[in-house]
Amino acid sequence: MNKIIIDELIKGFRTRGSKSKKQKAMEMLQDLFASYSFDLRLFCVTYHLTDKEITQFLSYLLYCIYYNEIVHTQLPKNLEFYFLTLLTEIISTKWIKHLLPRKKLPLIAFCKSYLREGSWLILKAIDHTNNLFTHSPNTLDIQLKLPILIDKIIALPLEKLKESFAPYRNQNYTSEELDAFFKLFSFNFPLPDLIKLFDNPTLASPEQLNFLINTVLGLCENLYAYFREPSLYRSGLTRMVYTLSTRGINFDQMPWLPSVLEGLQSLTQHLKLNLKDFPIIIFDQAPNRELSKNRIFVQKQAKKYSATIWHLSHEEIIRLAKKLKVLHWIKSSRKRYFGYGGARNCTFFLAPVIHQAFQKGSRTYAELIKRDDLKILFNESVLGKTAQDSILHLGEDDIFIPICNFYSDTLFAAKHKNLYFQRFSLEIGRSTLNINAKLDLKNLLSNPSILYSSTVWKDTPSIAGMKAMLTKPVFCLPLPFGHEERHVSTPISLSPSFEQPIIHLGGTRFPKHLIPISPLDGILKYLKCYLTYCIEISMVMQLVDPANLYGRCILPWNDPEVPGISCLGDLLEYAKQPKVQKELQKRFWDNLTFAFTSEPSDENPLVMHLTDLANLESSLSAPAELKRFYKDVQNDARLFLEVGRNLIQNKKLKNKPVKSPLTSSFLLLLNHIFDGSMT
């Protein structure tokens, strides 16, 4: 149905006479949404949109339709509130002053049930962001039937269940306690269904059964800690470091810091602790102008919550990294920005040191940098040489973390603090981890929506990569490419047991082009960046294969059962061994050989994508600027393939700089691996 609508819109721009594009857009969208009993013109008048704002809003609506953000079969019943969320995303929340008072509470309820960027901004504007989840389980059910469920789980013929659940078998909670708990945790527990399942556990797969057991255990553990033993939360909190590495992002439009402050405020108040004693650490590579704006915002937030926030500039990061002799892990090129791996390594190599120095009295950067024991702190908090390594909570600007997760995360940290582990989170929202590298011109023309397929909103929880990951210090290879999340897999990888999914509010990223008469209008700027990014990701996924998707991972430390790895210090000692470096290079060479001597296929996706880009069909009908761009990409893809094949044939790399983005990235990867700078 959406394709029919898109075709009619494109046709309408061609056939509706000499009217302006804006007039045509308004007429067509008015007619379209009238079929849902919604008056678009009246909406614009009701909320006092200026002529310029109407143009921006119409443009955004068109892009939302072109790229499947607005889907005919998935529109909510309340289109007025839905359109207010879209209006907020493209313009602002200034329309709130025109909202009728009687609509405020229904709007809040709508935004909590229909999550997206605009929903969060609306709730933020009216100060209702502290809990976006509103599930309300039957607490009487839980009070009566949780002990029955625990007994049924313990009766299963599985190891250690009795031991795990023993502390919680005779714990009873009042209905008032359960109401308070679930107001915070907002989980919907269908206990009667779970009891039936555990009566006949063969109905579930082993994976499902394990997930349900861990969820019930998580419920029991958090109930016990929340009401009976809050010191368990405290034990985890003292080891945790909330940290973010970013560059040039406008903080006051991003949800991470406010949600962290809200969550830690709730937790520390419950524990009767001072929020100031638990610093939040931000590494900001923004240029001076943006850095100053962010610093003002950070200072306001610190004052509002009586919190301690360390906000380090690019120069301060460099200085500290030099003093700790880890600059090569962070800055791997002459460019200003650190790249994906370097930015992550700020959190792994620097944040624990700052946190520990703060606990030992350093309150300012000047006091920190003058310390003569920084290397000792590094050995303890980063390398883990005294089994006191930090547990990092990795932030990203555009994620919202529900308050309940701060409780369950600290309890999780306390439980596993003596292990060398990583624990991923689940996310809903923009699933940007999933890319589509099939971006040759033919594919793009036949289905333009593939360009924004990785930003489509998804309500089904999926693994969040490093977003909100709990991890002991690890490292990322100092590469400027994405797909850095799996550069190290710790010996123990854990799953979340009792938390809400985080919400990734990454935005639609649509062009700012005014009144697009086709899906191709205004896409070139984004396409240039995204195509290069996708090929770089494809290159790392296949040639490095950190997650072992193709069974050809080049990173020996990620092999199963590497002995003796219990901290980052052990990991680095292993990775730096000459035989390990040689093995890494050998595996990489094997992957290169496979890629450039095999036919393009799903098993050889990098070469398949490059071949598609290299075989540009000149007869395709496309806008001139798009064809010119793809002609440059064609030359770049051919050069990439030529360099790869010549390397395999001659076993020698001609280190000659090129201006072609794709080939430059390939040469950069080759140089990083073959000059031994990977670790």
Side-chain angles (χ1 to χ4, degrees):
M1 184 66 179
N2 250 42
K3 186 176 187 314
I4 296 172
I5 293 172
I6 293 168
D7 290 343
E8 285 298 313
L9 288 171
I10 295 170
K11 179 181 175 183
F13 279 116
R14 290 199 313 266
T15 60
R16 292 203 174 207
S18 58
K19 298 173 184 176
S20 70
K21 291 194 296 182
K22 180 180 176 181
Q23 288 174 315
K24 294 177 182 179
M26 177 57 89
E27 284 181 1
M28 290 189 290
L29 293 175
Q30 173 73 17
D31 292 344
L32 173 62
F33 295 115
S35 63
Y36 300 91
S37 302
F38 181 77
D39 191 326
L40 181 58
R41 284 195 177 94
L42 179 60
F43 176 87
C44 294
V45 171
T46 301
Y47 291 101
H48 296 257
L49 300 193
T50 66
D51 192 60
K52 180 181 178 182
E53 288 169 345
I54 291 173
T55 303
Q56 292 174 306
F57 188 47
L58 292 175
S59 302
Y60 192 57
L61 290 177
L62 287 167
Y63 278 123
C64 285
I65 295 169
Y66 290 155
Y67 295 121
N68 297 325
E69 188 71 13
I70 294 177
V71 179
H72 166 75
T73 56
Q74 298 173 10
L75 285 172
K77 291 181 180 179
N78 194 324
L79 281 188
E80 179 186 3
F81 290 170
Y82 175 59
F83 274 64
L84 285 175
T85 66
L86 298 179
L87 179 64
T88 299
E89 290 167 10
I90 194 61
I91 299 174
S92 71
T93 54
K94 71 175 191 175
W95 54 264
I96 285 178
K97 61 187 177 184
H98 304 295
L99 182 72
L100 294 175
R102 63 181 172 80
K103 291 186 176 182
K104 185 175 178 180
L105 288 178
L107 176 61
I108 290 170
F110 175 86
C111 288
K112 288 191 173 188
S113 64
Y114 203 89
L115 298 173
R116 53 179 299 131
E117 291 78 7
S119 308
W120 178 76
L121 290 168
I122 292 170
L123 292 168
K124 174 173 173 272
I126 49 186
D127 206 25
H128 276 266
T129 56
N130 56 349
N131 197 347
L132 294 186
F133 294 93
T134 54
H135 300 301
S136 182
N138 185 327
T139 52
L140 180 61
D141 241 7
I142 291 173
Q143 191 177 24
L144 296 175
K145 295 178 180 175
L146 183 57
I148 299 171
L149 181 60
I150 291 173
D151 287 340
K152 288 185 178 295
I153 291 175
I154 289 174
L156 294 173
L158 297 172
E159 286 187 31
K160 297 188 177 180
L161 284 183
K162 189 171 183 179
E163 178 185 336
S164 298
F165 280 92
Y168 317 116
R169 291 190 71 181
N170 299 313
Q171 295 297 324
N172 296 306
Y173 302 95
T174 67
S175 57
E176 291 77 15
E177 286 177 325
L178 291 172
D179 284 339
F181 181 83
F182 282 101
K183 184 178 179 181
L184 176 69
F185 279 80
S186 295
F187 274 87
N188 189 14
F189 264 80
L191 280 185
D193 293 337
L194 286 175
I195 289 171
K196 287 179 184 176
L197 178 65
F198 285 108
D199 278 335
N200 190 1
T202 56
L203 294 174
S205 69
E207 293 79 14
Q208 290 172 321
L209 200 62
N210 187 58
F211 172 78
L212 292 171
I213 290 170
N214 283 332
T215 301
V216 176
L217 181 60
L219 169 62
C220 294
E221 290 171 337
N222 278 276
L223 277 168
Y224 183 76
Y226 193 82
F227 292 112
R228 306 290 184 262
E229 198 62 58
S231 62
L232 294 171
Y233 287 132
R234 191 180 297 115
S235 172
L237 183 60
T238 55
R239 287 281 288 273
M240 286 182 65
V241 183
Y242 287 85
T243 180
L244 167 75
S245 190
T246 183
R247 70 175 221 192
I249 300 294
N250 188 356
F251 282 3
D252 67 359
Q253 295 297 309
M254 293 290 113
W256 179 79
L257 182 57
S259 71
V260 169
L261 288 165
E262 286 278 345
L264 287 178
Q265 181 185 64
S266 173
L267 178 59
T268 51
Q269 285 176 351
H270 180 69
L271 298 175
K272 296 180 173 56
L273 299 173
N274 192 335
L275 178 55
K276 274 185 176 290
D277 294 335
F278 302 94
I280 298 163
I281 301 165
I282 301 173
F283 302 96
D284 191 355
Q285 300 176 61
N288 289 337
R289 185 176 177 183
E290 287 79 7
L291 181 76
S292 298
K293 290 180 181 177
N294 285 344
R295 192 147 280 176
I296 291 169
F297 177 75
V298 166
Q299 289 167 353
K300 285 181 179 178
Q301 294 292 299
K303 183 177 180 180
K304 176 181 176 181
Y305 289 91
S306 298
T308 301
I309 306 174
W310 287 66
H311 183 210
L312 278 72
S313 68
H314 182 275
E315 290 71 24
E316 289 168 331
I317 297 168
I318 294 290
R319 187 179 175 193
L320 179 59
K322 282 182 177 178
K323 186 155 186 179
L324 291 170
K325 295 182 171 54
V326 295
L327 185 61
H328 62 289
W329 281 105
I330 291 167
K331 190 170 176 59
S332 57
S333 72
R334 295 178 182 176
K335 294 181 179 179
R336 172 182 171 84
Y337 296 120
F338 301 149
Y340 290 88
R344 295 287 190 194
N345 287 335
C346 291
T347 62
F348 298 137
F349 289 89
L350 305 183
V353 175
I354 296 169
H355 184 267
Q356 191 141 328
F358 177 86
Q359 301 301 337
K360 293 180 180 294
S362 295
R363 293 296 180 264
T364 65
Y365 182 84
E367 293 173 357
L368 168 76
I369 208 71
K370 288 177 183 176
R371 295 186 71 106
D372 56 11
D373 64 345
L374 285 179
K375 200 62 182 176
I376 295 173
L377 301 185
F378 180 83
N379 288 340
E380 293 175 352
S381 63
V382 177
L383 298 185
K385 294 194 173 180
T386 59
Q388 292 298 311
D389 40 352
S390 297
I391 299 170
L392 299 166
H393 189 288
L394 303 182
E396 289 197 15
D397 312 272
D398 51 10
I399 62 172
F400 177 92
I401 308 171
I403 286 181
C404 62
N405 288 15
F406 291 85
Y407 290 80
S408 56
D409 283 348
T410 53
L411 190 58
F412 194 98
K415 184 177 180 180
H416 301 289
K417 63 185 178 183
N418 295 324
L419 302 177
Y420 190 45
F421 76 93
Q422 289 177 319
R423 192 228 64 191
F424 63 83
S425 287
L426 297 175
E427 68 173 344
I428 60 174
R430 309 291 172 184
S431 188
T432 51
L433 287 176
N434 302 313
I435 63 161
N436 189 340
K438 296 180 179 180
L439 285 173
D440 58 280
L441 182 56
K442 186 176 180 180
N443 264 332
L444 183 65
L445 293 176
S446 64
N447 183 14
S449 64
I450 61 172
L451 183 57
Y452 293 95
S453 59
S454 67
T455 60
V456 170
W457 187 276
K458 294 184 179 178
D459 287 313
T460 303
S462 59
I463 292 175
M466 279 187 165
K467 294 188 282 292
M469 175 183 274
L470 289 186
T471 180
K472 291 291 187 75
V474 291
F475 64 78
C476 287
L477 302 178
L479 295 169
F481 316 123
H483 199 56
E484 77 284 5
E485 295 88 353
R486 297 294 187 91
H487 288 179
V488 165
S489 296
T490 54
I492 299 172
S493 180
L494 302 169
S495 304
S497 60
F498 191 73
E499 65 169 26
Q500 294 282 14
I502 63 171
I503 308 170
H504 187 202
L505 301 168
T508 57
R509 308 179 187 182
F510 295 155
K512 302 298 183 185
H513 187 86
L514 297 180
I515 313 296
I517 64 173
S518 93
L520 300 176
D521 280 354
I523 66 170
L524 193 55
K525 181 179 178 181
Y526 180 77
L527 176 63
K528 286 180 178 179
C529 297
Y530 187 64
L531 189 147
T532 300
Y533 172 78
C534 287
I535 295 299
E536 288 175 348
I537 295 291
S538 183
M539 176 179 70
V540 173
M541 286 177 71
Q542 182 176 341
L543 299 183
V544 179
D545 195 13
N548 207 32
L549 292 174
Y550 301 98
R552 295 193 291 268
C553 176
I554 73 167
L555 310 172
W557 52 83
N558 280 353
D559 290 351
E561 299 176 3
V562 174
I565 306 294
S566 61
C567 59
L568 180 56
D570 295 338
L571 181 63
L572 287 174
E573 287 178 16
Y574 177 82
K576 288 180 178 179
Q577 294 179 69
K579 66 178 183 180
V580 173
Q581 292 286 303
K582 287 181 180 178
E583 176 64 18
L584 182 152
Q585 291 174 341
K586 175 188 176 298
R587 294 183 189 184
F588 183 69
W589 182 262
D590 290 343
N591 286 354
L592 285 171
T593 303
F594 173 82
F596 292 105
T597 59
S598 303
E599 292 297 314
S601 67
D602 290 339
E603 286 295 307
N604 192 9
L606 173 63
V607 171
M608 180 174 68
H609 300 323
L610 289 170
T611 302
D612 289 341
L613 293 169
N615 295 335
L616 176 65
E617 295 182 28
S618 58
S619 60
L620 291 171
S621 177
E625 62 174 8
L626 206 55
K627 291 195 79 169
R628 284 194 295 270
F629 167 69
Y630 270 100
K631 183 63 180 174
D632 292 339
V633 172
Q634 178 187 42
N635 294 332
D636 194 354
R638 287 176 175 176
L639 180 60
F640 192 131
L641 291 167
E642 180 185 344
V643 168
R645 286 162 182 159
N646 285 342
L647 174 62
I648 298 305
Q649 185 175 351
N650 301 320
K651 295 183 173 55
K652 186 175 181 182
L653 176 62
K654 295 180 180 179
N655 200 0
K656 182 180 179 182
V658 297
K659 293 183 178 179
S660 307
L662 306 182
T663 309
S664 293
S665 296
F666 181 45
L667 292 172
L668 186 59
L669 177 62
L670 293 173
N671 285 322
H672 268 286
I673 289 184
F674 287 128
D675 73 1
S677 66
M678 295 299 281
T679 59

